[in-house]
Amino acid sequence: MKVARFSHDGAIDFGILDEDEQELVVLKSDPLFAGLDTTGERVPLAAAKLLAPVIPRSKVVAVGRNYRAHAAEFGNDVPAEPMLFFKPNTSVIGPGDTIVRPRGSEQVDFEGELAVVVGAVARHVRASDAHAVIFGYTVGNDVSARDWQRSDGQWARAKGFDTSCPLGPFIETDLDVSTSRVRSSVNGELKQDAPFTDMVHDVAKVIEYASAVFTLLPGDVILTGTPAGVGPIVAGDRVDIEIDGIGILSNPVA
């Protein structure tokens, strides 16, 4: 099912997209913490403003250089183990929200990615059990100030600035990652197109590796890396990132 977080008539609610994808069935509360009980109310999708489907209470964990072709396009080796870094929850924005290029950066790039939403407290999770701690999947964009990334030597500023983590439009709770893929376009021009089977370290491996280091909490988001084809975005651009089975995350740039 597809789960949304949305605003309507001055309130913020959670809902399940109905089978016709025309209405949102309103949930009683945040499904990550209160389950999927509904109120009986329905809101037309066209009347709702979709928001980031989750705002992590704790952290966004991201994986660098997790596709061989992406590592190669920057002249980097593929890490033997997942390369982890963090983005703060203040970097998260939703569908239709504006990516604001930070002052002082001369090159800001898009990076389309599969985002995993953690659904349970996870510590020392084996790869074979990783499915049990996944609530669902959404679309992510690891927006990066590339010049800061090169100059700083670490990635906190380059990848953690406000608006650098668009997420949405829905959380799909039942995605077949083995048959799905990510496509990224800028102003309608296709830039990225790759299956998730091209990941060096798959979702289960990343969860096993990350949860051995720090506890993952419900609502945490894991960005699983981007394929080749990333590139700069400037004011006036629109970035569309699509994942089969989830939908399109679209954001303007200013």
Side-chain angles (χ1 to χ4, degrees), residues 103-158:
R103 294 179 181 177
S105 173
E106 300 298 326
Q107 182 182 347
V108 175
D109 288 2
F110 70 91
E111 295 189 4
E113 309 197 7
L114 175 69
V116 180
V117 181
V118 177
V121 176
R123 179 69 168 145
H124 295 300
V125 177
R126 294 179 298 182
S128 59
D129 297 327
H131 64 280
V133 302
I134 297 173
F135 178 76
Y137 305 85
T138 191
V139 185
N141 186 355
D142 178 22
V143 184
S144 304
R146 198 67 71 197
D147 51 346
W148 289 355
Q149 187 178 3
R150 288 190 294 262
S151 66
D152 289 1
Q154 51 79 30
W155 299 356
R157 184 171 68 131

Side-chain angles (χ1 to χ4, degrees), residues 2-228:
K2 289 184 172 69
V3 177
R5 177 173 165 268
F6 65 97
S7 62
H8 175 70
D9 287 343
I12 294 177
D13 288 304
F14 294 86
I16 299 170
L17 188 64
D18 70 0
E19 291 183 358
D20 296 328
E21 299 194 349
Q22 297 297 314
E23 293 183 318
L24 293 164
V25 182
V26 179
L27 295 170
K28 288 184 177 179
S29 189
D30 186 340
L32 280 162
F33 300 92
L36 296 169
D37 292 337
T38 63
T39 66
E41 179 186 2
R42 287 175 172 260
V43 174
L45 180 61
K49 160 63 176 169
L50 293 179
L51 307 173
V54 59
I55 300 293
R57 286 169 167 75
S58 174
K59 53 192 171 293
V60 178
V61 182
V63 185
R65 303 174 189 169
N66 202 24
Y67 288 75
R68 296 186 192 282
H70 172 59
E73 71 182 344
F74 285 94
N76 295 315
D77 295 329
V78 175
E81 301 288 349
M83 176 186 289
L84 303 182
F85 60 94
F86 294 110
K87 295 170 81 81
N89 58 10
T90 49
S91 67
V92 173
I93 58 173
D97 292 339
T98 301
I99 298 167
V100 180
R101 289 168 48 99
R103 294 179 181 177
S105 173
E106 300 298 326
Q107 182 182 347
V108 175
D109 288 2
F110 70 91
E111 295 189 4
E113 309 197 7
L114 175 69
V116 180
V117 181
V118 177
V121 176
R123 179 69 168 145
H124 295 300
V125 177
R126 294 179 298 182
S128 59
D129 297 327
H131 64 280
V133 302
I134 297 173
F135 178 76
Y137 305 85
T138 191
V139 185
N141 186 355
D142 178 22
V143 184
S144 304
R146 198 67 71 197
D147 51 346
W148 289 355
Q149 187 178 3
R150 288 190 294 262
S151 66
D152 289 1
Q154 51 79 30
W155 299 356
R157 184 171 68 131
K159 289 176 172 283
F161 61 88
D162 287 356
T163 76
S164 67
C165 189
L167 297 173
F170 305 101
I171 298 172
E172 172 55 63
T173 60
D174 187 24
L175 182 73
D176 187 352
V177 175
S178 68
T179 62
S180 191
R181 62 195 304 120
V182 62
R183 301 178 187 88
S184 302
S185 301
V186 178
N187 304 325
E189 181 179 352
L190 184 65
K191 300 290 187 179
Q192 293 180 294
D193 186 358
F196 297 128
T197 50
D198 282 358
M199 287 183 192
V200 177
H201 308 292
D202 65 16
V203 170
K205 167 66 175 179
V206 170
I207 289 175
E208 179 180 69
Y209 186 81
S211 70
V213 182
F214 38 73
T215 301
L216 299 172
L217 299 177
D220 282 356
V221 172
I222 302 172
L223 297 178
T224 58
T226 195

